[in-house]
């Protein structure tokens, strides 16, 4: 991705962030205006942003970017309130650039065909060259673009035929811990990589280096880029392990039981907090919770 394309992505990520925060601010202000459903309030917020905010001189830049980013930012806000009402998450919070750069676009005309090869045509954004080619053609409608380190990634859902599963064993219990990540009731043990522990020395050196550099300078920005690249690599190693392990378990066992852990309480212990964060207990359990297996 060239600098012009990276700048375009960053602008859209900023657009999503601004719209989400504006919508959240207006929603909070409307709490005392009566009993309205979140979806109705979000629709009213959309009217305010469309008919008033986007027409202000200081907001004309919004009209130069994809309107699908703007629409999906408000959909994300609606979903955030939905999870909050169901008790699955806390109250939606304002997002900042530190929370990461990402945004979603979709094809308002329905699903689109993505051809195999090294390029991908993303609705409303244009055609981009891929680092890894698409092995075959896919059909999709919604695309999420996110930045990890200094690289941009695109993810999308595809229409696919469900493959037949091989016969699975009946059930298994899983005990997760710090020393061995997962111990199964059939005595199988899985040890997790600890990428954060391995990278701590290098991260500490770069963070000290950044603190000594002139604030906002190009050198400091380059150092922060190196730090973000390390964190992105750490996240990728952790995700790779969790996906491979949960895929193996889901394909092998029909029913999976995982012990309940008070992760928040465990993180309060400063002696264990680093090790627990490095392992990704919550993400491991979430994989099964979303699929309904646990």
């Amino acid at each position: 991705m060239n600098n012009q394309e990276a700048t375009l992505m960053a602008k859209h990520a900023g657009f999503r962030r601004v719209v989400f925060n504006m919508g959240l601010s207006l929603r909070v202000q409307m709490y005392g205006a009566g009993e309205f459903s979140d979806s109705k309030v979000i629709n009213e917020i959309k009217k305010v942003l469309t008919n008033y905010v986007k027409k202000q001189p200081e907001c004309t830049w919004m009209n130069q970017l994809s309107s699908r980013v703007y629409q999906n930012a408000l959909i994300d806000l609606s979903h955030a309130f939905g999870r909050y009402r169901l008790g699955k998450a806390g109250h939606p919070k304002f997002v900042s650039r530190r929370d990461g750069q990402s945004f979603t676009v979709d094809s308002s005309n329905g699903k689109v065909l993505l051809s195999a090869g090294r390029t991908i045509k993303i609705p409303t954004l244009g055609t981009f060259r891929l680092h890894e080619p698409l092995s075959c053609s896919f059909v999709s409608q919604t695309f999420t673009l996110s930045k990890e380190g200094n690289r941009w990634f695109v993810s999308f859902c595809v229409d696919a035929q469900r493959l037949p599963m091989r016969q699975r064993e009946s059930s298994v219990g899983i005990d997760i811990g710090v020393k061995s990540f997962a111990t199964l009731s059939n005595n199988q043990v899985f040890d997790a990589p600890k990428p954060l522990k391995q990278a701590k020395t290098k991260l500490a050196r770069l963070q000290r280096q950044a603190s000594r550099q002139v604030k906002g300078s190009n050198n400091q920005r380059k150092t922060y880029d190196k730090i973000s690249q390390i964190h992105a690599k750490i996240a990728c190693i952790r995700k790779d392990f969790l996906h491979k392990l949960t895929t193996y378990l889901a394909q092998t066992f029909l029913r999976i039981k995982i012990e309940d852990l008070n992760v928040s309480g465990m993180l309060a212990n400063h002696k264990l907090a680093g090790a627990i964060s490095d392992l990704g207990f919550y993400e491991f359990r979430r994989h099964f919770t979303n699929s309904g297996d646990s």
Side-chain angles (χ1 to χ4, degrees), residues 59-80:
C59 295
T60 54
W61 59 271
M62 293 182 177
N63 299 306
Q64 301 171 7
L65 303 175
S66 172
S67 63
R68 303 313 302 171
V69 174
Y70 156 66
Q71 302 286 344
N72 279 285
L74 293 177
I75 291 174
D76 290 343
L77 180 60
S78 179
H79 289 167

Side-chain angles (χ1 to χ4, degrees), residues 131-144:
H131 181 71
E132 295 182 7
L134 296 178
S135 57
C136 59
S137 296
F138 296 99
V139 172
S140 185
Q141 183 174 3
T142 303
F143 302 78
T144 297

